[in-house]
Amino acid sequence: MSSSVVPVEGSLSAPLSGEDLANLPKRRRRRTPAQKTWSAVRYVLLVFFAVLVLTPAYALLVTSFKTPSGYDQSTAWKLPRVWSVGGWQAAWDALAPAMGRSLVMAVLAAILSAILGSLNGYVFAKWKFPGSHVIFVLFLFGMFIPYQAIMIPLSGMMLDIQQGAPWFAGIPTLILCHVVYGIPICTLIFRNYYATAVPSEIIEAARVDGAATISTYAKIVLPVSIPGFVVTLIWQFTSAWNDFLFALFLTNQNNGPVTFGLNALASGQNPNYPQIMAGVLVACLPTLLVYIALGKYFVSGLMSGSVK
């Protein structure tokens, strides 16, 4: 190993160890005036867009702590004169049952669609068979079919099923719909992940050792699929939780999710704005917590498998 040599006063040269090199002060490259100006502009733009995005949230939060008599559109942006949690209590009492139903629906729909998407992605990425590309393209067509285009025939089909199985009405119906509509995007995410992040040599080695298809998936592929599952679970949970169109056509206020209950809360001739704003914040709290807790894993999961 060669040592670095730098001139030192009083000698021609003096060797420095790696520790000495690490302790040397690092030279900072001076930024030009144009670079400093561009950096300042970027910070100003970031602050501007942050304020722009957070302004509606500020209005929601401030209004939710006002009393119905203390709310007025002319003072909507001002802090309440009298702070009250009555709107929060009323919103929670009205939305609590629907929140429970939505939680069950979103969790089950996310898990089932992620598992099915993982199996499909594994097959399309590592098992080539006649017509596999055509079938994969047909899977992707499911992402481009608008909900509105199939809502009427879907409603009729679900009503026929509910006539023979009344227990299927409500949340089970929504779980099935979100799972079916979530399979294409989950299949695409896992197929791209397995095609780039999981070497084919590992699969071939498992075959040589006599592992069956299911064993290879369960013991080799599934343990390294955490990034893909994080992405699909967050994506599907958010999509199912925020959906309103399926809830509007396939459920009612008594068996529907929180979005349906929030719509009922906001309707009426004399809306209670503090209660409505508190209900909006209560309804969006689960997805907000999911992104706060798993946001960095969501981004890293999207990037996993992007390059080989």
Side-chain angles (χ1 to χ4, degrees):
M1 179 181 298
S2 61
S3 58
S4 301
V5 178
V6 296
V8 179
E9 184 180 357
S11 63
L12 295 177
S13 62
L16 292 178
S17 63
E19 183 178 356
D20 295 332
L21 289 175
N23 294 329
L24 287 176
K26 296 181 180 180
R27 293 183 178 180
R28 298 184 61 183
R29 186 177 57 182
R30 294 182 178 180
R31 295 189 300 173
T32 63
Q35 291 176 329
K36 294 181 180 179
T37 302
W38 173 238
S39 179
V41 170
R42 284 188 299 177
Y43 281 115
V44 171
L45 289 176
L46 287 174
V47 172
F48 170 75
F49 285 113
V51 172
L52 193 64
V53 171
L54 295 177
T55 297
Y58 166 79
L60 287 174
L61 186 62
V62 168
T63 305
S64 66
F65 286 102
K66 295 180 179 180
T67 60
S69 59
Y71 173 79
D72 187 80
Q73 292 184 357
S74 61
T75 60
W77 301 101
K78 296 182 179 180
L79 294 175
R81 296 180 179 178
V82 178
W83 293 79
S84 173
V85 295
W88 286 84
Q89 293 175 349
W92 175 254
D93 293 339
L95 297 179
M99 289 274 290
R101 292 192 294 265
S102 281
L103 186 62
V104 173
M105 175 198 67
V107 170
L108 291 180
I111 293 175
L112 292 175
S113 56
I115 293 175
L116 294 175
S118 175
L119 292 170
N120 292 336
Y122 169 63
V123 171
F124 285 123
K126 299 302 179 183
W127 293 83
K128 304 300 179 183
F129 53 89
S132 60
H133 293 290
V134 176
I135 297 177
F136 179 65
V137 171
L138 293 177
F139 262 91
L140 297 186
F141 277 154
M143 294 189 300
F144 303 103
I145 300 176
Y147 290 178
Q148 296 85 350
I150 52 90
M151 199 55 62
I152 294 178
L154 179 63
S155 301
M157 183 176 66
M158 292 303 166
L159 287 176
D160 293 338
I161 296 176
Q162 292 169 13
Q163 288 180 357
W167 59 268
F168 193 72
I171 296 302
T173 299
L174 295 182
I175 292 175
L176 177 61
C177 293
H178 286 297
V179 168
V180 171
Y181 255 87
I183 287 177
I185 183 62
C186 292
T187 300
L188 176 63
I189 293 174
F190 276 108
R191 188 261 183 189
N192 294 340
Y193 177 75
Y194 291 147
T196 55
V198 180
S200 299
E201 290 77 10
I202 298 179
I203 309 299
E204 295 174 359
R207 295 179 187 173
V208 172
D209 291 339
T213 304
I214 300 299
S215 299
T216 303
Y217 171 80
K219 297 181 180 180
I220 297 177
V221 178
L222 189 60
V224 298
S225 303
I226 294 178
F229 273 101
V230 170
V231 173
T232 52
L233 287 174
I234 294 177
W235 184 282
Q236 286 301 108
F237 180 90
T238 305
S239 299
W241 185 275
N242 293 333
D243 174 71
F244 177 69
L245 189 61
F246 279 141
L248 182 63
F249 276 82
L250 303 177
T251 62
N252 54 53
Q253 186 175 351
N254 296 324
N255 60 10
V258 68
T259 51
F260 202 108
L262 187 61
N263 179 69
L265 186 68
S267 61
Q269 297 294 329
N270 297 314
N272 187 335
Y273 285 102
Q275 181 179 345
I276 295 173
M277 301 304 178
V280 171
L281 293 173
V282 168
C284 71
L285 187 60
T287 53
L288 181 63
L289 294 177
V290 167
Y291 272 102
I292 291 176
L294 302 175
K296 62 178 181 179
Y297 302 105
F298 181 78
V299 176
S300 61
L302 284 177
M303 298 303 296
S304 297
S306 58
V307 294
K308 189 172 182 179

